[in-house]
Amino acid sequence: MQPEIDLDEEILRFQSNDPIERAATPPASWYTSSRFLDLEKNAVFRNQWLFVGRQDQLQQPGDYFSGTFLGWPYVVVLDDEGEPRAFYNICSHHGTCVASGEGTTEQLVCPYHGWTYDRQGKLTKAPLAGPLQSLRQRNLDLKPIELSQWGPLIALHFGNPSAPLETELAPLLDTFADHPFENVQFVRRVMYPIDCNWKVFVDNYLDGGYHVAHVHPGLTGQLDIASYRSTLGERWSLQSCPAASSPSSDASADFARRVGQHADYAWIYPNFMVNRYGPWMDTNTVIPLSVDRCLIVFDYFHEGAAETGFLEQSLIASDQVQQEDIEICHRVQAGLHSGVYQQGVYAPRCEAPMFHFHRLLHADFQV
Ligand code: FES
Ligand SMILES: [Fe+2]
């Protein structure tokens, strides 16, 4: 049983106008009460572009992938003209999820009674349900979802977008040291389920490199942490760090070549990250599963060709970093659940991106 909370009171316990030096972090209830997750679903996630996949998953007409975000089932399919389209993956007959997983299909056929939709989402067959013409008048096609592309990435909007994704993110693209998408090719997807609230993972990402020296011993010798810098945008932030001038050697993990000269870590409100370092790019999608569980989807991209040995070593090194973050996120969630911890404070020199995230949430909670 979760303790009853007064939602408005808990929102206001975070004083978003305080300067970071005096501000308290959001109370534990933001991370432990399912009422906050319900609020976030409608006040945050429904109003933002959410990244769900990649263009390379859709190569030929009929290629599709499907998924669920906080209970919204979606399917993305390449139509006959080669354009990606997104629909709620919900049959108009009795609400069954039509497609599952990913693959290629001529048409989307509901497994329950065989209602069939074309790649444009149009109902084309409804066995024994009467003439198609009269069904069509009742608008029983799959319901469309707004879709946008950003470089090799595909995003959906489950509400009414106020601005095109590209426009929103143009200033971020200009802030990257190098164009993040140039010549990169998808290599591999890795998924990490974590027993923590989705915001715990995001907070960890947005602490301005504060935890790197303590949590990531392998990575820390490769980065010039003293030169870590953060830029705050409207609904994004970018953390940048040059490589160390004399990197420590860790031949087994091959960290040095992996990081290259410079690392850029971009976060896009609320739940997406694009990381660019050396020849690598990876994207991280944070998917809330429940109030104290989330799934992180890592998609790795590489610039140009590389020998398999290097790719594998790099992915092992990256996995090590993720395991270190996962362990710390578990510990944070345990403290948040304790009932003893209420609110923390910020380290002002580093944690401005995290404060920025909390202020964006706070503003959305109050609309
Ligand atoms: S629910 Fe889809 S065909 Fe009946
Ligand atoms: Fe980390």
Side-chain angles (χ1 to χ4, degrees):
M1 263 304 263
Q2 293 198 340
E4 266 305 306
I5 59 158
D6 181 326
L7 199 58
D8 292 334
E9 213 170 87
E10 293 302 304
I11 293 169
L12 291 174
R13 284 174 71 192
F14 176 71
Q15 299 280 316
S16 70
N17 290 326
D18 280 351
I20 190 169
E21 293 76 13
R22 279 199 284 112
T25 59
S29 59
W30 286 33
Y31 301 82
T32 56
S33 166
S34 55
R35 292 196 57 196
F36 269 94
L37 187 61
D38 294 343
L39 174 67
E40 286 160 357
K41 181 171 176 181
N42 291 305
V44 177
F45 291 108
R46 194 188 286 282
N47 300 322
Q48 300 300 327
W49 287 104
L50 301 173
F51 289 89
V52 294
R54 310 177 313 273
Q55 283 179 12
D56 66 83
Q57 291 175 280
L58 308 171
Q59 309 222 352
Q60 305 292 329
D63 286 357
Y64 73 92
F65 61 86
S66 60
T68 305
F69 192 92
L70 278 175
W72 296 312
Y74 61 83
V75 57
V76 182
V77 61
L78 205 63
D79 73 11
D80 295 335
E81 274 75 55
E83 286 298 316
R85 288 173 179 253
F87 305 98
Y88 284 100
N89 185 19
I90 301 172
C91 182
S92 304
H93 181 218
H94 285 335
T96 308
C97 288
V98 179
S100 54
E102 55 187 308
T104 305
T105 186
E106 276 293 314
Q107 46 203 3
L108 296 158
V109 183
C110 179
Y112 201 172
H113 311 96
W115 283 33
T116 300
Y117 306 86
D118 67 16
R119 295 156 172 174
Q120 268 64 239
K122 224 173 176 39
L123 181 67
T124 56
K125 218 187 285 173
L128 309 179
L132 205 53
Q133 264 337 90
S134 57
L135 287 176
R136 282 226 172 113
Q137 280 165 8
R138 296 168 64 184
N139 189 16
L140 297 169
D141 298 338
L142 293 179
K143 297 208 176 348
I145 303 171
E146 293 279 348
L147 179 148
S148 209
Q149 299 179 67
W150 192 52
L153 311 172
I154 293 176
L156 305 183
H157 199 299
F158 292 94
N160 302 308
S162 56
L165 179 66
E166 279 208 3
T167 315
E168 274 192 31
L169 296 182
L172 168 60
L173 221 43
D174 292 343
T175 313
F176 266 98
D178 298 307
H179 197 292
F181 305 136
E182 218 128 81
N183 303 324
V184 293
Q185 282 199 339
F186 174 71
V187 175
R188 187 173 301 170
R189 172 169 285 190
V190 185
M191 309 229 243
Y192 295 98
I194 313 186
D195 288 329
C196 72
N197 183 271
W198 70 277
K199 299 188 293 300
V200 168
F201 185 86
V202 177
D203 286 355
N204 171 65
Y205 184 89
L206 293 177
D207 77 356
Y210 195 21
H211 73 273
V212 173
H214 303 274
V215 176
H216 304 307
L219 187 59
T220 190
Q222 307 305 323
L223 292 172
D224 179 8
I225 296 290
S227 306
Y228 215 98
R229 214 172 305 129
S230 299
T231 309
L232 307 185
E234 204 173 323
R235 285 176 184 272
W236 53 266
S237 57
L238 184 76
Q239 303 171 74
S240 302
C241 189
S245 47
S246 48
S248 61
S249 65
D250 185 343
S252 66
D254 206 359
F255 273 110
R257 186 175 157 199
R258 179 174 159 257
V259 170
Q261 297 301 305
H262 187 91
D264 271 340
Y265 305 107
W267 165 77
I268 297 165
Y269 182 74
N271 68 331
F272 193 66
M273 295 95 171
V274 181
N275 307 306
R276 193 72 170 84
Y277 43 94
W280 285 97
M281 178 176 93
D282 69 64
T283 63
N284 320 146
T285 313
V286 186
I287 303 173
L289 300 177
S290 68
V291 70
D292 47 16
R293 197 161 163 77
C294 60
L295 178 73
I296 321 295
V297 180
F298 275 72
D299 278 345
Y300 289 92
F301 300 74
H302 193 271
E303 192 185 319
E307 65 276 25
T308 318
F310 169 68
L311 294 181
E312 291 307 322
Q313 284 296 339
S314 284
L315 290 169
I316 289 168
S318 180
D319 181 67
Q320 184 181 324
V321 173
Q322 306 333 317
Q323 298 300 344
E324 290 159 354
D325 279 329
I326 288 169
E327 163 66 18
I328 217 73
C329 286
H330 285 166
R331 288 175 178 236
V332 173
Q333 190 70 26
L336 290 167
H337 265 303
S338 66
V340 177
Y341 171 92
Q342 285 302 314
Q343 284 175 276
V345 294
Y346 296 96
R349 265 187 59 186
C350 307
E351 294 181 328
M354 191 194 298
F355 188 42
H356 175 50
F357 169 43
H358 297 156
R359 294 181 73 190
L360 288 171
L361 287 172
H362 186 258
D364 277 354
F365 289 168
Q366 290 184 308
V367 172

